[in-house]
Amino acid sequence: MKNKPTTKERLIQAAVVIFAEKGYHNATVAEICEAAEANIAAVNYHFGDKENLYRQVWAFLFEKSALEHPLPTALPETEPERWLRDFIRSRIEEIFDTGICHRLPQLLHRIKCEHTELHDFVFETYLRPGHERVTRAIKALLGPHATDNQRKLAHINFMGLHIFLNVGHQKDKEKKNKRQHLPAIDDPSELARQVEEFALGGLLATRNLIQHTGTIS
Amino acid sequence: MKNKPTTKERLIQAAVVIFAEKGYHNATVAEICEAAEANIAAVNYHFGDKENLYRQVWAFLFEKSALEHPLPTALPETEPERWLRDFIRSRIEEIFDTGICHRLPQLLHRIKCEHTELHDFVFETYLRPGHERVTRAIKALLGPHATDNQRKLAHINFMGLHIFLNVGHQKDKEKKNKRQHLPAIDDPSELARQVEEFALGGLLATRNLIQHTGTIS
DNA sequence: ACCAATTTCAAACGTCCATTTGAAATAATT
DNA sequence: AATTATTTCAAATGGACGTTTGAAATTGGT
């Protein structure tokens, strides 16, 4: 009852881990094949080239994580504050997922660092829907007086929180021995709570700023 | 009255730009030498190797930017809110500096992406003092009830704002044609104002959360 | 058992890039 | 002017890595 996975499957599995830990450029085809117990030529045979393997890894991982850590179901416009809180929580649970799903934000962290068209491909293919729903929630929360520029900046500030948290977490994973940036995460839920609070506090303060200063036009 | 800079100086100048735009690994010695109008062997002759050139670039840039965009002078403990606001403003002015100084956050953005001991070197050599003063300001602002973990997380959230803003700004610079993440920055000061407001709003909300839920201990 | 298609394999190829080398050119010293 | 030290230069070296190749091994169908 071994049912050893096919070479192709083993390559994907190995590539998920190695791409996530080292990024696209620093990962070598040789080490992926070695980890998958496959020949050096296996990647090119089964996937054509390294880049296509990378795309398959994304497809595999994203599909998996979208099931376990989906976007909040409610409409972002109706209860924007609630929606944004749930969104953050989902992202943080994904970061600290103990299964395979934490490889997705890890991979995301990596790809943001390499300038390649792969980044655009990933954003357009996988990230845009979530991005647009955040946009709508923030628009609803800030109210009709906010300018597009103010919304964009608030969006950046909002997203920066969990994304940067992810960066810190990835760094901590890399160097287990050294001093850690993050608190020990005995309880991701409590951590998520604090990030939620910071994010909403920031957004509401932004709303106040906008309403009090008013805008020309 | 030409007074053409020495080869060594030209190499540094060229390397600042190229390292900042492409990062350490993607920048080649050949292109740096070409931009500096120097021979391919010039880097090794004047600096020993590529890595050492990189360190010299940091020393040069950091010194320059520390003069133009210094940390706030006040003690972080006395008026933490004021100090943190000034800190953010200084960082944002640096990001949008129109001279050479914007290369520093750009370089910082790059180095965070490459896993190399250079990152640790840079942090320990240049960034630690600023880091510690932020720590103290946040500690003062959150009050004595906050746990170390809560402070660490608040610190991450706070720093994430301008760091992630920098990331977005760098991305926008890379692909001028494509859709931009950030608002057009006609006025960095107004942008800084909104980030300040978000940051302090977030921190104060965090303080409220801590005081209301209370901590065991 | 035989043939054809698929998959695996070790070796080789080609490219990119940091670094070295040793000679040539230039500057500094006497 | 002659000698020495410094700097520049083109070419070569060597290593890393993605990809190709063609033969060998395995699998599937009849």
Side-chain angles (χ1 to χ4, degrees), chain A:
Chain A
M1 204 59 174
K2 273 284 285 286
N3 233 348
K4 186 181 182 183
T6 67
T7 301
K8 201 170 175 180
E9 290 165 339
R10 296 201 314 279
L11 281 171
I12 291 267
Q13 299 286 343
V16 163
V17 175
I18 292 175
F19 279 138
E21 289 184 348
K22 311 186 126 185
Y24 179 75
H25 285 113
N26 288 327
T28 71
V29 170
E31 70 182 326
I32 291 172
C33 290
E34 193 184 8
E37 297 181 74
N39 183 268
I40 175 75
V43 164
N44 296 79
Y45 177 74
H46 287 283
F47 297 95
D49 59 13
K50 186 187 178 187
E51 191 171 314
N52 190 245
L53 168 60
Y54 188 82
R55 272 193 273 261
Q56 303 287 339
V57 162
W58 257 94
F60 168 79
L61 250 189
F62 187 84
E63 193 177 339
K64 200 129 193 170
S65 194
L67 291 176
E68 292 191 36
H69 305 284
L71 296 178
T73 49
L75 286 181
E77 291 88 349
T78 54
E79 293 177 280
E81 177 164 341
R82 175 82 261 141
W83 192 91
L84 289 165
R85 282 181 182 273
D86 290 347
F87 176 83
I88 295 178
R89 182 161 294 270
S90 191
R91 297 286 66 72
I92 288 181
E93 283 170 354
E94 186 179 53
I95 292 172
F96 295 104
D97 183 293
T98 52
I100 191 74
C101 290
H102 76 282
R103 299 296 182 185
L104 189 65
Q106 195 177 10
L107 206 56
L108 204 47
H109 166 55
R110 287 292 166 211
I111 202 178
K112 291 223 204 66
C113 302
E114 329 202 27
H115 42 278
T116 156
E117 331 75 50
L118 284 176
H119 186 226
D120 290 341
F121 163 75
V122 165
F123 181 79
E124 291 301 327
T125 311
Y126 300 108
L127 274 21
R128 178 178 287 292
H131 179 91
E132 284 176 355
R133 294 183 72 183
V134 173
T135 301
R136 276 151 54 200
I138 287 186
K139 183 171 180 177
L141 189 113
L142 289 188
H145 296 88
T147 67
D148 274 355
N149 278 352
Q150 287 168 330
R151 286 181 193 135
K152 270 194 202 173
L153 184 53
H155 190 142
I156 294 251
N157 285 338
F158 174 78
M159 294 295 284
L161 294 177
H162 67 265
I163 292 179
F164 193 65
L165 178 65
N166 181 41
V167 173
H169 183 229
Q170 301 308 338
K171 290 235 192 66
D172 284 355
K173 280 200 281 194
E174 280 172 39
K175 40 181 187 178
K176 295 205 189 51
N177 38 351
K178 306 201 177 185
R179 206 166 31 83
Q180 311 276 304
H181 302 92
L182 262 61
I185 27 84
D186 33 305
D187 185 8
S189 172
E190 193 178 335
L191 187 145
R193 182 71 215 286
Q194 189 178 329
V195 180
E196 275 181 33
E197 214 57 33
F198 192 110
L200 270 298
L203 285 175
L204 295 177
T206 303
R207 182 172 68 181
N208 281 344
L209 174 72
I210 291 170
Q211 288 177 345
H212 284 56
T213 59
T215 56
I216 332 281
S217 103

Side-chain angles (χ1 to χ4, degrees), chain B residues 123-143:
Chain B
F123 181 80
E124 292 301 327
T125 310
Y126 300 108
L127 305 179
R128 181 178 286 292
H131 180 89
E132 283 176 356
R133 293 182 73 183
V134 173
T135 300
R136 276 151 52 200
I138 287 187
K139 184 170 179 177
L141 189 112
L142 288 188

Side-chain angles (χ1 to χ4, degrees), chain B residues 194-205:
Chain B
Q194 190 178 328
V195 180
E196 275 181 33
E197 212 58 32
F198 192 110
L200 270 300
L203 285 175
L204 295 178

Side-chain angles (χ1 to χ4, degrees), chain B residues 42-59:
Chain B
V43 164
N44 295 79
Y45 177 76
H46 287 284
F47 296 94
D49 59 12
K50 185 186 179 187
E51 191 173 314
N52 189 246
L53 168 61
Y54 189 82
R55 273 192 274 262
Q56 303 286 339
V57 163
W58 257 93

Side-chain angles (χ1 to χ4, degrees), chain B residues 47-103:
Chain B
F47 296 94
D49 59 12
K50 185 186 179 187
E51 191 173 314
N52 189 246
L53 168 61
Y54 189 82
R55 273 192 274 262
Q56 303 286 339
V57 163
W58 257 93
F60 168 80
L61 250 190
F62 186 85
E63 194 177 340
K64 200 130 194 169
S65 193
L67 291 175
E68 292 191 35
H69 305 284
L71 296 178
T73 49
L75 286 182
E77 291 87 348
T78 55
E79 291 179 281
E81 178 164 340
R82 175 83 261 139
W83 191 91
L84 289 166
R85 283 181 182 273
D86 290 346
F87 176 83
I88 295 178
R89 182 161 294 271
S90 191
R91 297 286 66 71
I92 288 182
E93 284 169 354
E94 187 179 53
I95 293 171
F96 295 103
D97 183 293
T98 53
I100 190 75
C101 289
H102 77 283
R103 300 296 182 181

